[in-house]
Amino acid sequence: VVRTAKGHHFVLTRDVECAVAEGNYVALHAGGRQHLVRETMKSLEDSIDPTEFVRIHRSVIVRIDAIARVEAGGHGGEYRVHMKGGASFPTSRGYSERVRALLR
């Protein structure tokens, strides 16, 4: 549930393509819209299903079946994750092993 000035919006987990840190908020990108929730990335990560979502950077969590492709980067095993919706995100070294696990 996402609370806004207009009320409470129900955002289905299956519609969320990614979650991106935005200061003290997390922007949920779902159905072509962005919903801001006041939550930390850590608490969001702890509350989602790890078989459906993967954290690829300290500020980015993506839905696994929304990934279109993964490109190898040139810096110590880092990658660039391209989403079906057109967004792309770099991984960070600390989270690259999670991406490598998806590729196995």
Side-chain angles (χ1 to χ4, degrees):
V1 176
V2 177
R3 191 174 64 197
T4 68
K6 294 181 180 182
H8 293 77
H9 297 269
F10 289 82
V11 179
L12 299 175
T13 306
R14 69 174 173 253
D15 294 338
V16 175
E17 181 178 270
C18 61
V20 181
E22 298 278 342
N24 293 329
Y25 294 86
V26 174
L28 299 176
H29 296 262
R33 297 186 62 198
Q34 178 177 302
H35 305 276
L36 289 176
V37 293
R38 191 164 179 90
E39 189 168 0
T40 65
M41 292 297 284
K42 176 67 175 145
S43 66
L44 179 64
E45 181 181 25
D46 290 344
S47 69
I48 57 177
D49 184 346
T51 64
E52 292 184 47
F53 291 89
V54 64
R55 191 164 184 179
I56 63 167
H57 190 276
R58 69 181 181 90
S59 61
V60 181
I61 297 171
V62 298
R63 195 177 79 230
I64 296 167
D65 66 1
I67 297 172
R69 72 179 192 280
V70 176
E71 293 178 356
H75 299 86
E78 294 175 9
Y79 299 92
R80 182 151 207 91
V81 175
H82 296 270
M83 308 301 291
K84 291 177 182 174
S88 69
F89 304 102
T91 65
S92 57
R93 256 179 278 161
Y95 295 97
S96 291
E97 181 54 39
R98 297 175 184 196
V99 176
R100 272 193 295 280
L102 294 175
L103 301 175
R104 290 187 201 123

